[in-house]
Amino acid sequence: MPADVSLATVAAQAGVSVSTVSRIVNGETRRASPATVQRVRDAIEAVGYRPNPAGRALRRGETQLVAVLAANLDNPAMATIASSTEAALREAGYVMILCDTHDRPDLQDEYLAAMRVQRVSGLVMIAAVASPGLAEMAEAGVPMVFVTRRNPVGPGLFVGIDDRAAGAAVADHFVAAGCRAPAVVFPRRGSSASRDRVAGFIDRLAALGAAPDAIMRGEGDGLSHLQVGYDGAAGLFASARRPDAILCVSDQIAYGVARRAREAGIGIPDPCRLVSIDGTPLNQWVAPWLTSVRIPYPVYGAEIVAGLEAIRRGGAPAERLLPFAFG
Amino acid sequence: MPADVSLATVAAQAGVSVSTVSRIVNGETRRASPATVQRVRDAIEAVGYRPNPAGRALRRGETQLVAVLAANLDNPAMATIASSTEAALREAGYVMILCDTHDRPDLQDEYLAAMRVQRVSGLVMIAAVASPGLAEMAEAGVPMVFVTRRNPVGPGLFVGIDDRAAGAAVADHFVAAGCRAPAVVFPRRGSSASRDRVAGFIDRLAALGAAPDAIMRGEGDGLSHLQVGYDGAAGLFASARRPDAILCVSDQIAYGVARRAREAGIGIPDPCRLVSIDGTPLNQWVAPWLTSVRIPYPVYGAEIVAGLEAIRRGGAPAERLLPFAFG
């Protein structure tokens, strides 16, 4: 397919160097003989080469940088979002600068200040934290998109799922399966996504007749969701009334809960089933015992770029909620 | 600790906005009253603020960009390397541009050409593929460091482990454990790392008396090591002579092999033990049945930056081999 045709293919076809092709593709024909220029143009025709718009813009000096600030690149979900965003940005003629804020407000602010001086064309905040610099950035008029977590300090275009609805769907799933002792494990310092998933789950169970205090809760501290799951499940498995179904608000929390279950000698999914919300591809390889609500992370990139360009065209920020499904 | 003190902390202490602090920190004092400047300087003293050198350089317009080209950000090992590199670069006053080449020579060349025009201060190639642009880049004099895979088209500073020694260590481990039917699963289109691990394993087994054809081999195609492991193990588990110990040249290959074993009803680690080479932290959560040679990815970032600066100081490229250990 043409997308796979590279400068190198053109160079091989024309029998010249990649830099010669690169120069001619970008209009610098002085240093090449007319015959070479013609040979390269014929080769471009012959192999159907289409330049990468990002590369072309950069070579022309029209740098179009978009900064992506992610809270934690070790999290497979965020890495998948970053990867799909990079591909969508490249397709649209941008180059991505990726910064890892380690979920720290001070680093987020340093990078926001730096990217402002870089005159980036847009900012993608994957799991932003509240910080004074973030509030000021929103006023600076740089197009911003908030991903997985809503803007914690104001309005802003959000790309994600309906987290409350996802939590409610898991409640329905548990009730339909006849579960009698439901529980939920979540981070104590929760993001908007975590909070909404827990609230949707608990409200739906209550609406279906569960007494609020009948729903067991396990909270964990720290940034690592693996640890949050491991710590949050400890109390649940130690209690007299054992849960028979646990909502884990992320895949990594489910991995942590499963490790605790293993150590406590409790079988998954029987007698205790786990359902998580993420549906990262790794599950099918390492967690066949896990049911997960699948979030379409691979299409987030296209939605994020569409959102940035809508804002640049003066469009009003609106939610871009993507469909989820039981995986 | 001071590293956690942000512009925001200073701003709160001084009772001014983050941008005011940012301007004064960077010497733009005209727009602020002498009293404000003094208040901010006192606040900086009081809270022990130390500016992020990267942010400061960028705000001064002295952009110090380093491009990291990674073959596959979905791979947890590469994501960990990218994350530790970002932290080490920030510490040294650089900002990281991260590009995902999807292991494609044409994309690698497009990004190399683009980063050249960006005048990046250095290039970090995580799992580089052979491409004409890479050969030309090496001649262009931009400091380059090759990580996990050696430069496939020439010399260059390499940061990684002694892959042959790691393969040999697994052979010793199998022999010491009395394994009689060893096997190895690896990618057909292997990198220098994969090839060296396999060669080190097979040569050591031969040196210890194994007949070369007694060592079973399972090869898999494709970029996903999960799929490579799943496909590569299929023939091994179907053969009359079942392996009792398998070297998987990466953690993800081990996950794929384990899934195949599960479907074939073969127990891990008994009757068939698995040893992989990576030792990513996820193993302890989702793969307690896996023994892994641990590669110190979290310290790669510091080694990579030290290597870049050595080259910039005119040092001769040398290997930076890091120690590995059974995890």
Side-chain angles (χ1 to χ4, degrees), chain B:
Chain B
M1 63 213 201
D4 286 306
V5 175
S6 72
L7 287 179
T9 317
V10 177
Q13 170 87 9
V16 300
S17 77
V18 172
S19 11
T20 302
V21 175
S22 174
R23 277 195 304 273
I24 292 169
V25 163
N26 296 289
E28 303 168 35
T29 54
R30 281 171 292 94
R31 291 168 56 184
S33 75
T36 305
V37 173
Q38 193 50 54
R39 204 156 72 248
V40 168
R41 293 195 169 134
D42 294 345
I44 287 169
E45 270 306 306
V47 302
Y49 169 72
R50 285 182 311 172
N52 165 355
R56 204 173 52 222
L58 282 158
R59 284 190 294 274
R60 283 212 224 88
E62 304 159 5
T63 313
Q64 292 271 60
L65 297 175
V66 168
V68 175
L69 275 63
N72 173 14
L73 286 179
D74 291 339
N75 179 321
M78 288 193 206
T80 304
I81 295 171
S83 180
S84 75
T85 304
E86 184 277 333
L89 285 170
R90 175 162 34 83
E91 191 59 35
Y94 301 94
V95 161
M96 173 173 90
I97 296 184
L98 182 58
C99 309
D100 190 332
T101 67
H102 304 274
D103 226 15
R104 276 171 47 179
D106 61 311
L107 287 184
Q108 179 174 283
D109 277 351
E110 290 290 353
Y111 275 109
L112 285 172
M115 292 308 130
R116 209 157 152 172
V117 175
Q118 277 290 84
R119 298 201 164 58
V120 292
S121 309
L123 275 164
V124 178
M125 309 295 296
I126 304 177
V129 291
S131 73
L134 180 59
E136 295 184 1
M137 199 73 200
E139 294 153 19
V142 179
M144 292 179 92
V145 175
F146 295 86
V147 188
T148 73
R149 284 185 201 164
R150 291 169 189 282
N151 180 357
V153 297
L157 174 50
F158 172 70
V159 172
I161 61 165
D162 181 338
D163 290 293
R164 286 190 64 92
V170 176
D172 291 336
H173 177 79
F174 283 174
V175 170
C179 304
R180 310 186 150 280
V184 56
V185 177
F186 54 97
R188 197 180 310 277
R189 294 193 320 117
S191 65
S192 65
S194 296
R195 284 193 308 271
D196 290 350
R197 291 169 189 181
V198 173
F201 176 72
I202 288 176
D203 292 354
R204 177 63 57 87
L205 284 176
L208 294 172
D213 61 359
I215 304 162
M216 290 171 272
R217 294 165 174 76
E219 294 181 71
D221 288 312
L223 293 181
S224 159
H225 274 202
L226 295 161
Q227 196 66 44
V228 164
Y230 188 69
D231 296 345
L236 299 179
F237 293 139
S239 70
R241 178 160 168 273
R242 291 272 182 84
D244 61 1
I246 302 176
L247 163 61
C248 309
V249 299
S250 77
D251 286 351
Q252 297 232 308
I253 286 179
Y255 298 168
V257 170
R259 181 184 183 180
R260 179 68 72 180
R262 213 159 48 227
E263 293 175 6
I266 294 167
I268 304 292
D270 181 27
C272 182
R273 73 178 61 205
L274 296 188
V275 173
S276 65
I277 298 175
D278 260 343
T280 44
L282 195 61
N283 290 350
Q284 69 193 81
W285 297 93
V286 300
W289 37 262
L290 178 63
T291 300
S292 191
V293 172
R294 197 170 64 256
I295 302 177
Y297 293 123
V299 305
Y300 270 41
E303 291 292 326
I304 288 164
V305 173
L308 281 174
E309 305 213 303
I311 296 174
R312 296 190 73 183
R313 287 192 306 271
E319 283 186 336
R320 296 181 84 91
L321 293 185
L322 298 166
F324 59 83
F326 268 85

